[in-house]
Amino acid sequence: MKRSTFYLWLGSLYTLAVFGLAWHNWNGGSSQPIIQWQVGATISVAIQQGGSVALINVVGNLAAFAPTAWLLAYWRPALRLGQLGLIGLGLSCIVELGQYWLGYRVVDIDDVVLNSLGFGCAGWLAKLSQRVMLHYTREVDRA
């Protein structure tokens, strides 16, 4: 994958995440954004409500950053899992800071936790798949 293609894809993803496909809710950042600092509060409320609310909040936040981690793990195989986790944490914080700066979305620590967890899990799965493919490629080469 070309570096410019990856950066274009990454920039598009984070533009959508920050601006949220909700242009009609934006009032120009003149209101005070809501900040949720209590870890687990939003997740527990979503699970109690059940249904699509829990699915969108929990699974959506886990999956939001997973493609980026997967591509990054394949693009830069020398990155360790801890480094991937820190990159995921940093990117998630950048998105939440963008939402705070725009002032129209809820800034939630649970989003940072779930996005980072999804990033880390996808990075781990990508690295695991690389090892499995390498193992079976070597087995085919030996035969």
Side-chain angles (χ1 to χ4, degrees):
M1 174 185 300
K2 289 185 176 181
R3 183 177 294 186
S4 60
T5 305
F6 179 76
Y7 288 140
L8 178 65
W9 182 84
L10 187 64
S12 301
L13 175 71
Y14 292 110
T15 300
L16 287 174
V18 170
F19 294 112
L21 300 176
W23 293 100
H24 62 277
N25 288 335
W26 186 43
N27 58 13
S30 61
S31 67
Q32 183 66 26
I34 300 169
I35 302 175
Q36 172 56 263
W37 287 107
Q38 186 178 0
V39 177
T42 307
I43 297 170
S44 64
V45 168
I47 291 173
Q48 287 173 359
Q49 289 176 349
S52 63
V53 173
L55 183 68
I56 290 170
N57 189 18
V58 177
V59 177
N61 277 319
L62 283 171
F65 287 78
T68 307
W70 187 275
L71 289 173
L72 189 59
Y74 272 93
W75 186 45
R76 296 284 188 218
L79 285 174
R80 295 185 174 146
L81 192 56
Q83 291 171 320
L84 280 172
L86 288 175
I87 291 170
L89 177 66
L91 291 175
S92 183
C93 287
I94 288 170
V95 167
E96 292 300 316
L97 285 172
Q99 291 175 356
Y100 177 80
W101 176 68
L102 289 172
Y104 76 98
R105 305 248 338 236
V106 175
V107 178
D108 195 349
I109 192 70
D110 288 345
D111 290 349
V112 173
V113 170
L114 290 172
N115 290 337
S116 300
L117 184 62
F119 198 95
C121 288
W124 177 77
L125 285 173
K127 292 212 167 276
L128 181 66
S129 70
Q130 287 173 350
R131 288 185 188 139
V132 168
M133 287 190 312
L134 184 63
H135 172 74
Y136 284 111
T137 303
R138 287 181 184 163
E139 290 295 321
V140 169
D141 288 343
R142 289 182 195 160

